[in-house]
Amino acid sequence: MTDKPVVPEKGRYKLDYRGSECLNCGHPLDLSDKYCPNCSQANSIKKITIKDYLDEFFGTLISYDSRLFRTLSTLLIRPGKITKSYIKGKRVSYTNPFRFLLSLAIIFFLIINFSGNFSKYDKYGTQDFSEIGKLAYEWSMEQNADDTAELSEQLDSLKNVVNYNGYIKHERERDSLILFDPIAYFKKIDQGPFGDRNNQKQAFFSTILEHDTIYSYEDIVDKYQIPETFENKLIFNGVNGFSKFRKSPGSFLSTLISKLPFVVFFFLPVFTVFIWLIYIRKKYSYTDHLIFSFHNTALLFILLIISYLIDSIFKFESNWIFFMIFSTYLFAAMRNFYGQSIFKTIVKYLFLNAIFFILALLSTVLLFTGNLITF
């Protein structure tokens, strides 16, 4: 049965206002029933007043606050205990692990997004970086003359090593060919093998976007008679997103971070598969392992929020402290929840951490690529 709201023994919930039939589902009720056993709605036939609304609101709020406090205290003080209690059926006492984690993830990334001031990085996208020497512009403004001279020498050496001038000449010649007759050029490159075709289309779209006013894929299709294929649209979106990223890197980072909470909930179910596999002899279902992942990740976000606030207020790098705390906590949670020896727990702890970082890296690459295509 679902969680029931708090029903006080007064107001519209007094015995005088109880009915013999549920107003929500029609299930027959006794006067002693505070709730409908079928749908969990409170048994009351009294019309709702403003006072009733306020009583219900504050009653529900206080009930949630008590569950939240119990969840936080158990999660912080007794690693692994909350998951054991939850899967054994003690669910009304704690907040839903999925909603709890989602709320913490959204709060953390909102704090990062609103306090991070990523728009300041957009200025790096406004510089003309057609010459490699200009990459040092922002850096050199904050350095002394000796450092700037040293950097200039290193850049000159790099130009000679990579044949920078030859590269620029080749780029300009290619752009001239594309702009001379874009339609004919695209028809020509559209016939080659996939690898070469993909690279040449990227160069084509990049040149057109740089020299023409194009706002969408539909614009370039109509103007340059580009075949409407999935391949062409995917390549164009990637090039267009990268072009916007170069112009507004701060805005790109801001949109990237806003999507991270949802990536967490695609990442954790995959990671949980590996937890289930190494503990396959334990009598826990996949969902039990997933709840364990939710609770521990929730603790991670709590520590990240605290660490970020400390860093912002006191200008003190506390990340490593909270990283050590979480590492210790996770080991204790695995020991308490799965009940295995220290040696077995250490081996599985190291294995799962390696898998976690591999999946996190893969998720980051996929997120970056997806954000680039949709930016």
Side-chain angles (χ1 to χ4, degrees), residues 307 311 315-321:
S307 174
D311 293 351
K315 307 301 180 183
F316 173 72
E317 290 293 333
S318 61
N319 293 336
W320 67 274
I321 298 175

Side-chain angles (χ1 to χ4, degrees), residues 27-301:
H27 188 82
L29 301 172
D30 294 325
L31 292 180
S32 60
D33 291 330
K34 293 182 181 180
Y35 312 95
C36 171
N38 185 52
C39 69
S40 298
Q41 176 165 293
N43 181 12
S44 176
I45 59 174
K46 182 180 181 291
K47 288 198 175 288
I48 299 176
T49 63
I50 296 297
K51 183 178 180 302
D52 294 328
Y53 268 122
L54 293 175
D55 287 342
E56 285 190 20
F57 171 76
F58 286 108
T60 304
L61 187 63
I62 292 171
S63 173
Y64 180 79
D65 284 348
S66 65
R67 285 187 288 127
L68 179 61
F69 177 77
R70 193 178 297 111
T71 299
L72 286 172
S73 59
T74 308
L75 185 65
L76 291 170
I77 300 172
R78 306 181 70 182
K81 165 70 175 177
I82 188 172
T83 307
K84 270 191 173 182
S85 298
Y86 195 87
I87 65 176
K88 285 180 179 179
K90 296 181 180 179
R91 293 166 191 163
V92 177
S93 301
Y94 305 106
T95 58
N96 180 284
F98 177 83
R99 289 198 298 264
F100 184 55
L101 175 57
L102 180 60
S103 300
L104 287 170
I106 290 175
I107 290 170
F108 174 71
F109 290 118
L110 280 177
I111 292 173
I112 296 294
N113 219 349
F114 284 111
S115 63
N117 190 24
F118 294 106
S119 59
K120 68 182 179 182
Y121 298 113
D122 285 339
K123 65 182 179 181
Y124 296 108
T126 60
Q127 303 291 335
D128 180 12
F129 291 138
S130 58
E131 296 292 336
I132 193 170
K134 293 181 181 179
L135 286 169
Y137 176 76
E138 283 290 337
W139 183 87
S140 63
M141 294 296 291
E142 301 176 359
Q143 308 300 319
N144 58 44
D146 293 337
D147 289 338
T148 304
E150 181 181 352
L151 176 64
S152 180
E153 291 178 5
Q154 291 176 353
L155 290 174
D156 289 338
S157 175
L158 180 62
K159 287 181 182 181
N160 294 329
V161 171
V162 300
N163 190 20
Y164 177 75
N165 293 328
Y167 169 77
I168 292 297
K169 181 181 179 181
H170 172 74
E171 290 284 300
R172 289 172 178 169
E173 289 176 351
R174 186 200 61 204
D175 290 351
S176 298
L177 288 173
I178 293 173
L179 297 173
F180 178 73
D181 191 349
I183 297 176
Y185 186 90
F186 191 86
K187 287 181 179 179
K188 180 181 177 182
I189 64 174
D190 201 24
Q191 307 301 319
F194 176 76
D196 294 338
R197 187 172 74 235
N198 178 62
N199 293 333
Q200 290 174 333
K201 284 182 179 181
Q202 288 183 37
F204 174 85
F205 289 132
S206 179
T207 300
I208 295 299
L209 287 170
E210 184 178 349
H211 293 88
D212 198 356
T213 305
I214 299 294
Y215 296 102
S216 65
Y217 177 65
E218 288 72 22
D219 290 344
I220 202 168
V221 166
D222 294 338
K223 189 168 185 178
Y224 295 104
Q225 301 176 20
I226 306 296
E228 290 193 64
T229 64
F230 176 77
E231 176 187 307
N232 291 340
K233 186 173 184 178
L234 188 65
I235 296 174
F236 172 82
N237 287 339
V239 172
N240 190 34
F242 186 72
S243 176
K244 292 178 181 178
F245 165 63
R246 288 193 302 171
K247 294 176 182 177
S248 306
S251 300
F252 178 85
L253 286 174
S254 182
T255 58
L256 187 74
I257 289 173
S258 67
K259 296 174 182 175
L260 284 175
F262 306 101
V263 174
V264 170
F265 290 95
F266 286 102
F267 166 79
L268 280 181
V270 177
F271 176 65
T272 303
V273 172
F274 292 91
I275 301 179
W276 173 69
L277 287 174
I278 66 170
Y279 286 108
I280 199 166
R281 292 184 179 180
K282 290 289 182 180
K283 294 181 180 179
Y284 290 124
S285 67
Y286 171 82
T287 305
D288 296 337
H289 296 297
L290 186 60
I291 293 171
F292 178 76
S293 297
F294 283 161
H295 281 142
N296 287 286
T297 308
L299 188 278
L300 174 62
F301 276 111

